[in-house]
């Protein structure tokens, strides 16, 4: 079954980049603890216009849906998310044959 890849596009609120970068690892760990089907979040990229893309990979689309539905129950995730604005999520699939991000 193909993995679900979420491309999360956003802007970090003014002056909050250090806090975002500090909180992101804890948010990922907390989501993984609550939703073990999170494979990882291996890519965080800043674009020339100051926007960002964060890539989260789940074992299945259903696992991603469960994690998204439960995100409001994870304090570490909420603490990270409160630093973001203009958030958009694009879900895609990654073929099983792809073994490296």
């Amino acid at each position: 079954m193909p993995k679900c890849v979420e491309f999360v596009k956003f802007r970090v609120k003014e002056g909050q980049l250090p806090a975002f970068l500090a909180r992101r690892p804890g948010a990922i760990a907390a989501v993984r603890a609550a939703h073990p089907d999170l494979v990882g979040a291996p890519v965080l990229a800043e674009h020339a216009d100051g926007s960002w893309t964060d890539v989260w990979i789940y074992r299945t689309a259903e696992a991603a849906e469960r994690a998204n539905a439960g995100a409001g129950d994870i304090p570490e995730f909420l603490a990270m998310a409160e630093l973001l604005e203009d958030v958009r999520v694009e879900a895609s699939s990654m073929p099983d044959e792809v073994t490296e991000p």
Side-chain angles (χ1 to χ4, degrees), residues 5-9 88-92:
V5 180
E6 291 185 339
F7 296 91
V8 184
K9 300 176 182 187
R88 300 173 318 281
V89 179
E90 178 184 326
S92 302

Side-chain angles (χ1 to χ4, degrees), residues 67-79:
N68 289 328
D73 298 327
I74 303 172
E76 296 89 346
F77 181 82
L78 292 174

Side-chain angles (χ1 to χ4, degrees), residues 1-12:
M1 177 171 283
K3 292 179 182 64
C4 179
V5 180
E6 291 185 339
F7 296 91
V8 184
K9 300 176 182 187
F10 56 89
R11 293 190 174 279
V12 178

Side-chain angles (χ1 to χ4, degrees), residues 9-75:
K9 300 176 182 187
F10 56 89
R11 293 190 174 279
V12 178
K13 292 179 181 176
E14 185 72 32
Q16 297 300 317
L17 182 58
F20 166 69
L21 294 174
R23 292 179 188 181
R24 183 176 177 268
I28 293 167
V31 171
R32 184 178 284 128
H35 300 280
D37 284 330
L38 172 64
V39 174
V43 177
L44 175 65
E46 182 179 16
H47 303 281
D49 67 357
S51 66
W52 291 79
T53 299
D54 201 353
V55 179
W56 291 57
I57 302 172
Y58 294 88
R59 295 196 196 290
T60 65
E62 293 78 14
E65 290 171 11
R66 283 191 303 275
N68 289 328
D73 298 327
I74 303 172

